[in-house]
Amino acid sequence: MRNLILTTYISLDGVIENPQNWSMRYFSEDAGQLATEILTGADSLLQGRATYEGFAGNWSEPGADAFSKHMYGMRKYVVSSTLTEATWNNSELLSGDLVEAVTALKAEDGGDILSYGFGSVAHTLLAAGLVDTLYLWVHPVIVGAAAGPEDLAWNAKIPESHFDTKDVRTLTSGVTVLTLTRTS
């Protein structure tokens, strides 16, 4: 059984929307090392359309570093009701019921499945109990600019879920990365 890993940036006030606007000042060498470790530990990527399109634009060609090479080369699954094709290297669209599709992916042979962000795809997978590990990159900033509930990490669609704290790492920038594993 493959593990599904969800990694996301989050502010102190729970904002996950537009992290490029508030997280970049906290990027550090040790953050890059950890991000590369998490990415290269997985063999496939699961993304919603918006994240997929953003990542495809940034890694449309293999780069020279380990993160870029792995991001470009790994298998990618994109969840979208609007895309008709997935053109980024090694990509395919997932069709039908998301929970059924991801359950089937997890049952296949292979390594971990990694997903970035915390939008509707993540909420659906959390609600279905399919997320095995969470990496929450807690940034020491209060954004205070959430436009609506979809901009926040948690919402009423996610039932009570329990996780064990596997690791807590504070990066040189002050970001605290919580590694949490599902208990039930």
Side-chain angles (χ1 to χ4, degrees):
M1 178 68 88
R2 301 167 77 184
N3 288 318
L4 177 60
I5 299 168
L6 179 59
T7 183
T8 195
Y9 288 1
I10 184 170
S11 70
L12 292 175
D13 53 344
V15 174
I16 48 91
E17 188 67 22
N18 295 315
Q20 71 279 2
N21 295 341
W22 48 265
S23 70
M24 295 312 291
R25 72 180 285 182
Y26 298 102
F27 193 78
S28 57
E29 185 176 331
D30 54 348
Q33 291 169 346
L34 180 56
T36 299
E37 178 185 313
I38 293 168
L39 177 71
T40 57
D43 73 357
S44 58
L45 193 61
L46 173 67
Q47 300 291 261
R49 181 200 47 83
T51 304
Y52 170 83
E53 288 177 338
F55 279 29
N58 285 323
W59 291 285
S60 60
E61 297 292 328
D65 61 287
F67 186 93
S68 298
K69 284 179 185 176
H70 196 76
M71 177 68 76
Y72 179 78
M74 69 192 313
R75 187 85 195 127
K76 300 162 197 78
Y77 301 98
V78 62
V79 178
S80 176
S81 60
T82 57
L83 289 178
T84 57
E85 63 179 338
T87 58
W88 187 19
N89 187 53
N90 289 333
S91 295
E92 79 176 71
L93 287 170
L94 286 183
S95 59
D97 182 82
L98 174 61
V99 171
E100 289 177 11
V102 172
T103 299
L105 284 176
K106 287 183 68 170
E108 292 177 357
D109 288 335
D112 292 338
I113 303 164
L114 180 62
S115 186
Y116 290 94
F118 225 85
S120 61
V121 170
H123 289 158
T124 299
L125 298 174
L126 279 164
L130 291 174
V131 175
D132 300 295
T133 302
L134 283 172
Y135 285 96
L136 297 179
W137 300 62
V138 183
H139 289 66
V141 59
I142 295 174
V143 176
E150 68 280 354
D151 298 335
L152 300 172
W154 317 112
N155 68 38
K157 294 179 185 176
I158 302 171
E160 183 174 319
S161 303
H162 296 269
F163 291 83
D164 284 332
T165 303
K166 182 178 174 185
D167 187 43
V168 177
R169 187 181 313 187
T170 301
L171 305 177
T172 57
S173 64
V175 171
T176 300
V177 182
L178 303 173
T179 306
L180 308 163
T181 56
R182 180 175 290 285
T183 59
S184 60

